[in-house]
Amino acid sequence: DTGVSQDPRHKITKRGQNVTFRCDPISEHNRLYWYRQTLGQGPEFLTYFQNEAQLEKSRLLSDRFSAERPKGSFSTLEIQRTEQGDSAMYLCASSLTGQGAGGSYEQYFGPGTRLTVT
Amino acid sequence: AQKITQTQPGMFVQEKEAVTLDCTYDTSDQSYGLFWYKQPSSGEMIFLIYQGSYDEQNATEGRYSLNFQKARKSANLVISASQLGDSAMYFCAMRAPRNTGNQFYFGTGTSLTVIP
């Protein structure tokens, strides 16, 4: 399977604990995105990497959130001091750099990590 | 500001019939891309179709077509010959680099139910 993979698929944690999620993109994709999706909503952009450089961060990404993509391959998203409001599905997606209008090819999404903070 | 608007929270369609899911967008960028994704109950987002702002013809992918009306800023998804497996959430998304950077903006989605 050469799709986007995420680990773990489910995570239950207590408020105040730190959690880390991993995303492995499609190998030839240079762009990697993190999104958060809550029930009844579309995915909300969190951050974006091109190769190893983190080029954009949403205002949604508070200082408790940090993301890395150290070698331009897999990425990790860490949430420190989790709060109940962090409970959501965290989605990772990857894409190639496109030349067409909008400057990007379609993104391919992983299965997501569902976080529950109790 | 809302970039993508999907006004139909839920839609029903009879099996084998066609259905149109609405999407309007807001951008001042001349170069942008519009995307539709399907999210079944399993949760994974599945890419369906892409329309570039400079494309003169509507995009088609199998049973999916995108009715692109640039002046109206609409990008409606048409699913022909609906199948039971089409029951899912459908999201419209936009990327407009000059206006919104590299972010993809998603709408709130439309839940489609195909009735046997």
Side-chain angles (χ1 to χ4, degrees):
Chain A
D1 185 11
T2 58
V4 179
S5 61
Q6 291 186 247
D7 183 69
R9 296 290 305 276
H10 303 273
K11 179 70 177 179
I12 300 174
T13 190
K14 292 185 177 179
R15 185 166 52 94
Q17 297 295 305
N18 299 344
V19 294
T20 300
F21 310 141
R22 176 179 170 125
C23 170
D24 287 88
I26 293 172
S27 58
E28 61 267 30
H29 285 184
N30 59 339
R31 292 184 169 179
L32 187 147
Y33 303 78
W34 284 100
Y35 293 87
R36 181 174 68 189
Q37 186 178 22
T38 54
L39 200 62
Q41 299 296 317
E44 295 175 297
F45 171 82
L46 292 179
T47 190
Y48 151 71
F49 291 85
Q50 179 147 319
N51 301 311
E52 66 275 10
Q54 187 176 19
L55 297 185
E56 286 188 34
K57 292 194 291 185
S58 164
R59 288 171 297 169
L60 294 174
L61 210 67
S62 75
D63 55 7
R64 295 185 299 106
F65 288 71
S66 63
E68 294 182 343
R69 193 183 183 197
K71 297 182 180 179
S73 56
F74 73 93
S75 175
T76 57
L77 178 68
E78 181 183 15
I79 309 174
Q80 297 182 327
R81 306 181 302 281
T82 52
E83 302 173 356
Q84 288 187 324
D86 297 331
S87 295
M89 176 76 87
Y90 289 84
L91 295 167
C92 175
S94 69
S95 78
L96 292 166
T97 302
Q99 302 301 317
S104 184
Y105 291 116
E106 64 272 15
Q107 298 175 80
Y108 291 87
F109 281 81
T113 295
R114 182 166 296 283
L115 173 67
T116 303
V117 182
T118 61
Chain B
Q2 189 79 14
K3 306 292 185 188
I4 294 283
T5 303
Q6 294 180 255
T7 58
Q8 305 155 314
M11 290 282 286
F12 293 86
V13 63
Q14 203 74 36
E15 192 178 7
K16 299 181 184 178
E17 297 293 312
V19 63
T20 298
L21 306 183
D22 294 342
C23 173
T24 58
Y25 59 92
D26 181 26
T27 182
S28 57
D29 202 338
Q30 297 301 308
S31 174
Y32 52 89
L34 297 159
F35 305 79
W36 277 92
Y37 284 84
K38 172 184 178 181
Q39 189 175 42
S41 56
S42 59
E44 191 159 350
M45 299 282 284
I46 301 167
F47 166 74
L48 296 177
I49 196 166
Y50 160 80
Q51 179 86 41
S53 59
Y54 298 132
D55 296 341
E56 295 185 353
Q57 290 191 329
N58 289 339
T60 60
E61 290 286 348
R63 294 186 299 111
Y64 304 108
S65 61
L66 201 151
N67 184 1
F68 181 45
Q69 298 187 42
K70 196 170 182 177
R72 294 186 176 184
K73 293 189 175 179
S74 74
N76 299 339
L77 177 71
V78 180
I79 305 174
S80 62
S82 297
Q83 302 172 355
L84 295 178
D86 294 335
S87 294
M89 285 291 293
Y90 288 81
F91 292 97
C92 180
M94 178 182 68
R95 184 174 185 269
R98 290 192 180 180
N99 192 21
T100 62
N102 289 292
Q103 300 187 23
F104 277 66
Y105 281 92
F106 285 80
T108 52
T110 296
S111 176
L112 177 66
T113 302
V114 180
I115 303 167

